[in-house]
Amino acid sequence: MHNTHVIDPVTRIEGHAKITLQLEDDGTVSDARFHVTEFRGFEELCGGRPFQEMPALTARTCGICPVSHLLASAKAGDAIMSVAIPPAAVLQRRLANLGQIIQSHALSFFHLSAPDLLLGMDADPSERNVFGLMASEPEVVRRGIRLRQFGQEVIEKVSGRKIHGQEIVPGGVAEPLTDDEVIEIGYKTGEAKQTTLDVLAHFESLLVTRFGGEVKNFGNFPSLFLGHVGPGGRWEHYDGALRVVDSQGAIIADDVEAARYKELLAEAGNTDSYLKSPYWRAAVGANGSPWDGIYRVGPLARLNVATHFGTMLADAALQRYRGRTGEIATSSFHYHYARLLEVLASIERIEQMLGDPELTSEFVRAEAGVNRRRGVGASEAPRGTLFHDYEVDGDGLITGVNMVIATGHNNLAMNKTIREIADAYIDGPDVPEGTLNRLEAGIRAYDPCLSCSTHALGQMPFQVQVVRPDGELLTELRRD
Amino acid sequence: MRRTNSAPSRPRIATIWLGGCSGCHMSFVDLDEWLFELRRHADIVYGPLVDRKDFPEDVDAVLVEGSVTNTDNLELAHQLRARSKVVISFGDCAVTGNVTALRNLVGEPGEMVYRVYAEHPDRDGQMPSEVIPDLLPQALPLHHVVPVDLFLPGCPPPAPRIRDALTSLLGIDDTPHGIRFG
Ligand code: SF4
């Protein structure tokens, strides 16, 4: 009898992964593991490079959220130079990150997950993709594409290109923004906002009619939540300080500077994945396991740590959200919902910023040499908190690099989520295709970005293996 | 792209991601609403956006992002070559090795993995060794491993350049957007 299922590769995610499931003879699940299989060695290959070059280089860890790396890297450079960057540069960088949140969340929702959400988890796999959705829901796809395009165009205006822009640099940004560019962005916010409001209303109705089971079973467990907040607990994505809350909403840590991340977080290694498993150090006792320190980052966590958005429509939506999820949302299925709220808030914030005359100031860059040997930069990437930590010599050449990537923080949570889904939906060794897709959808809820997360090593095919209790490999299930 | 068999069938396009950052695929997604046009003329039969798990037979053209970095990539490279008429090196990592190949300058991959995973003070010394594929000694451009028909450079290639390549391959439209000579 065959008892190992392998889904390989996991599709419609941003990277390469496998899933292995181990079943007992009676068909109950004994283990579920998520593997990331790529190594690229960024921590190694940056050695000896000037820190000024790091934003452009580290952006190449990820083509989906290059802006997050540009920002964290440039901020680490600011710290090495020990400068406060000009206000216009702060505004431009914030603008780019908002564009990035919009485009990346739109990609996750429309291009990758909408086929599950709108066609159904059990829909025909050959049609269950964005191209299939073009036939059945062309207007939804068209509007989703245009929403993402809006985010990409905002990024292009600030950083010079849609992908791997060169204009976010240590000390600020390279070029002032022009009045024309500001006007062009302004023309498009209305459509973007309307699309988001419409899809949000649609998703809210589906939550009631279709996704009760997913909300209950897709990673619905207590954990800590980590993210940046701004003054007064406002939702934040670029500056601010770290806050950690638990599932009851108690604040476990607050007002923590990003540079202290190493005191708070530890990383466990894995033998079956290039993705490490960070955990919250203080929650793990002397002989405790990393699982005691499980935490989540990203949209779900940011809404849990923040008290409010500070923009009108997004705050109204947040009230409805909390009416459904409770004060703290513990189901990872709500990552989708949280993402839509963040898109709305990002569009509203962009609208607010466009009226600020400082945005087009010609003073955009501080110049300085090396004034510190270490610099830590952090930003809230679409998928969660990102840290770049550099050490340099007196000439500014890199001697050490550590990057803690958003998707990595969620590694333990992703593993726990597929275990929960397997327990809820698998009954015996015959696992139907729709159930395999549910496992993948559980991973997709986190919108993992595996090229980033395995910046160190890695590729991630999605694969389900069923292994017997004695370790014998029984089935490798691949879907064709 | 002409098919010789009798039944007229739609061109079959695949995209694949080896050792890259996905930026080339994001640039493909930056085709935006033109993706509707693409769908009118061709089927996307494999790639990160669709659910198929194995590389299909009878592919007309495949866009290959990334360089060949591990044993999985190597196997896929041979498979996609055997099953596709036109193989396109899609972006600088596939064309030259680019950033992905910078690791070649640093040294032997096993030692790198050891430094990144086992030597850091905070880690328990566990090394990834099960399930995951072995790294090749060097990250290689695609044409070092299999013959390549077309090269589409850029990091990433801008969307208009991708569009031009696809329109000329598919014979859709002859207005060049991104390719300039001189
Ligand atoms: S060529 Fe550039 S954009 Fe494409 S995968 Fe390589 S680093 Fe990423």
Side-chain angles (χ1 to χ4, degrees):
Chain A
M1 203 185 85
H2 289 276
N3 270 349
T4 300
H5 291 261
V6 182
I7 302 178
D8 177 15
V10 180
T11 44
R12 284 186 285 127
I13 55 165
E14 293 136 351
H16 308 266
K18 304 181 192 190
I19 288 181
T20 310
L21 285 186
Q22 303 199 6
L23 303 194
E24 302 287 354
D25 284 338
D26 65 1
T28 55
V29 178
S30 60
D31 198 9
R33 295 281 305 161
F34 175 70
H35 318 278
V36 175
T37 59
E38 186 172 326
F39 173 88
R40 295 179 64 218
F42 268 87
E43 282 159 336
E44 290 278 308
L45 61 82
C46 294
R49 302 260 158 197
F51 75 90
Q52 293 90 341
E53 202 181 88
M54 289 296 279
L57 189 57
T58 58
R60 267 76 180 180
T61 46
C62 178
I64 301 154
C65 51
V67 174
S68 309
H69 291 281
L70 288 173
L71 292 177
S73 184
K75 285 171 84 176
D78 302 341
I80 288 167
M81 292 154 70
S82 216
V83 295
I85 70 171
V90 175
L91 286 173
Q92 279 205 44
R93 287 183 183 182
R94 296 185 77 94
L95 189 61
N97 207 31
L98 292 167
Q100 153 104 329
I101 289 169
I102 295 167
Q103 75 84 12
S104 174
H105 285 0
L107 176 80
S108 166
F109 191 87
F110 292 96
H111 298 68
L112 301 175
S113 282
D116 297 329
L117 302 176
L118 302 181
L119 300 176
M121 301 282 171
D122 302 296
D124 176 1
S126 66
E127 286 297 308
R128 199 178 51 209
N129 58 58
V130 69
F131 300 101
L133 207 58
M134 282 177 177
S136 49
E137 301 269 3
E139 273 322 290
V140 173
V141 176
R142 194 176 296 282
R143 295 180 77 187
I145 284 175
R146 291 173 63 88
L147 179 62
R148 176 178 174 279
Q149 184 179 5
F150 168 70
Q152 287 288 74
E153 285 171 1
V154 170
I155 293 170
E156 187 176 27
K157 299 224 164 32
V158 176
S159 77
R161 285 167 50 168
K162 287 181 173 172
I163 300 163
H164 301 332
Q166 310 277 15
E167 296 178 13
I168 294 174
V169 292
V173 296
E175 298 282 343
L177 210 59
T178 67
D179 288 331
D180 283 351
E181 286 169 326
V182 171
I183 290 167
E184 281 170 38
I185 294 171
Y187 277 141
K188 298 199 172 171
T189 55
E191 181 189 328
K193 196 157 66 180
Q194 195 56 50
T195 296
T196 310
L197 287 170
D198 291 347
V199 76
L200 184 60
H202 187 179
F203 184 77
E204 285 173 333
S205 73
L206 288 176
L207 269 180
V208 178
T209 56
R210 193 184 279 178
F211 296 128
E214 280 78 5
V215 169
K216 192 158 145 266
N217 296 314
F218 273 47
N220 192 9
F221 49 79
S223 75
L224 300 175
F225 297 94
L226 166 80
H228 283 83
V229 293
R234 202 180 57 176
W235 177 80
E236 179 54 60
H237 61 96
Y238 172 76
D239 269 330
L242 293 170
R243 174 181 283 180
V244 176
V245 301
D246 69 14
S247 300
Q248 274 71 51
I251 295 179
I252 303 295
D254 204 10
D255 218 10
V256 178
E257 251 187 273
R260 290 178 51 209
Y261 77 97
K262 271 194 179 162
E263 296 164 37
L264 305 171
L265 306 176
E267 289 183 306
N270 293 299
T271 56
D272 61 357
S273 176
Y274 281 130
L275 192 54
K276 297 168 209 161
S277 301
Y279 58 90
W280 185 252
R281 214 185 265 275
V284 176
N287 295 313
S289 112
W291 289 99
D292 300 332
I294 184 173
Y295 64 96
R296 283 176 271 186
V297 300
L300 188 79
R302 283 194 289 260
L303 267 54
N304 282 340
V305 296
T307 53
H308 64 295
F309 279 112
T311 58
M312 201 175 66
L313 295 173
D315 273 327
L318 184 61
Q319 224 170 9
R320 293 200 301 279
Y321 173 92
R322 291 199 169 138
R324 288 192 173 82
T325 64
E327 216 30 52
I328 299 294
T330 52
S331 169
S332 288
F333 191 74
H334 287 313
Y335 268 101
H336 294 298
Y337 195 0
R339 234 168 249 133
L340 293 175
L341 263 59
E342 288 198 327
V343 171
L344 185 57
S346 298
I347 298 166
E348 288 187 288
R349 286 228 181 154
I350 288 176
E351 283 180 327
Q352 289 174 345
M353 289 172 69
L354 295 181
D356 188 338
E358 189 62 41
L359 186 58
T360 48
S361 161
E362 62 185 295
F363 300 109
V364 293
R365 186 171 188 179
E367 306 273 0
V370 175
N371 290 305
R372 255 186 230 156
R373 288 294 175 87
R374 179 173 171 226
V376 176
S379 73
E380 286 292 325
R383 289 152 195 80
T385 315
L386 168 68
F387 300 101
H388 280 213
D389 181 354
Y390 305 155
E391 283 164 29
V392 293
D393 66 14
D395 297 322
L397 303 182
I398 296 284
T399 56
V401 173
N402 190 32
M403 293 156 72
V404 186
I405 307 291
T407 298
H409 297 290
N410 283 337
N411 198 12
L412 290 174
M414 287 191 287
N415 272 288
K416 199 172 166 80
T417 297
I418 53 169
R419 178 64 197 263
E420 260 190 17
I421 296 172
D423 283 337
Y425 292 95
I426 291 180
D427 181 19
D430 296 324
V431 183
E433 196 280 335
T435 302
L436 295 178
N437 186 46
R438 274 197 173 73
L439 288 165
E440 297 182 73
I443 296 294
R444 273 176 218 130
Y446 291 86
D447 189 24
C449 181
L450 300 159
S451 44
C452 280
S453 47
T454 60
H455 62 93
L457 297 179
Q459 183 172 339
M460 166 170 167
F462 197 92
Q463 166 175 331
V464 177
Q465 291 190 331
V466 185
V467 184
R468 263 165 49 138
D470 61 6
E472 186 191 345
L473 179 72
L474 294 171
T475 312
E476 266 206 8
L477 205 91
R478 290 160 187 257
R479 298 178 311 171
D480 303 333
Chain B
M1 206 179 297
R2 296 240 167 72
R3 308 194 119 223
T4 45
N5 47 1
S6 50
S9 59
R10 287 157 57 78
R12 290 157 59 81
I13 306 281
T15 72
I16 192 166
W17 172 1
L18 306 178
C21 79
S22 78
C24 295
H25 270 84
M26 286 307 106
S27 200
F28 178 82
V29 175
D30 281 338
L31 289 168
D32 294 331
E33 287 174 271
W34 193 80
L35 290 169
F36 278 92
E37 186 70 8
L38 178 61
R39 187 182 174 280
R40 280 202 320 123
H41 293 276
D43 290 328
I44 308 297
V45 292
Y46 182 88
L49 291 172
V50 302
D51 265 350
R52 185 160 181 139
K53 301 297 179 196
D54 63 333
F55 195 88
E57 304 280 351
D58 285 332
V59 167
D60 289 293
V62 56
L63 293 160
V64 185
E65 170 189 319
S67 43
V68 179
T69 69
N70 62 32
T71 49
D72 276 6
N73 292 163
L74 190 60
E75 196 185 317
L76 266 169
H78 287 289
Q79 202 172 56
L80 69 89
R81 175 68 272 183
R83 297 179 181 182
S84 315
K85 292 198 182 70
V86 179
V87 172
I88 304 165
S89 272
F90 179 35
D92 286 349
C93 287
V95 174
T96 70
N98 195 30
V99 175
T100 306
L102 285 178
R103 79 154 159 92
N104 299 352
L105 306 173
V106 184
E108 203 275 316
E111 288 166 17
M112 268 163 52
V113 174
Y114 184 80
R115 282 196 295 272
V116 172
Y117 285 86
E119 274 186 353
H120 272 253
D122 200 34
R123 292 166 199 155
D124 46 16
Q126 287 196 78
M127 289 275 290
S129 57
E130 305 158 17
V131 187
I132 46 184
D134 287 338
L135 291 165
L136 301 179
Q138 305 241 297
L140 300 170
L142 185 63
H143 65 273
H144 282 215
V145 173
V146 293
V148 168
D149 303 296
L150 290 172
F151 294 87
L152 204 55
C155 179
R161 189 176 299 160
I162 301 169
R163 179 176 164 169
D164 286 344
L166 290 171
T167 49
S168 67
L169 271 169
L170 295 166
I172 302 179
D173 141 343
D174 54 11
T175 325
H177 296 84
I179 296 177
R180 284 188 302 136
F181 295 97

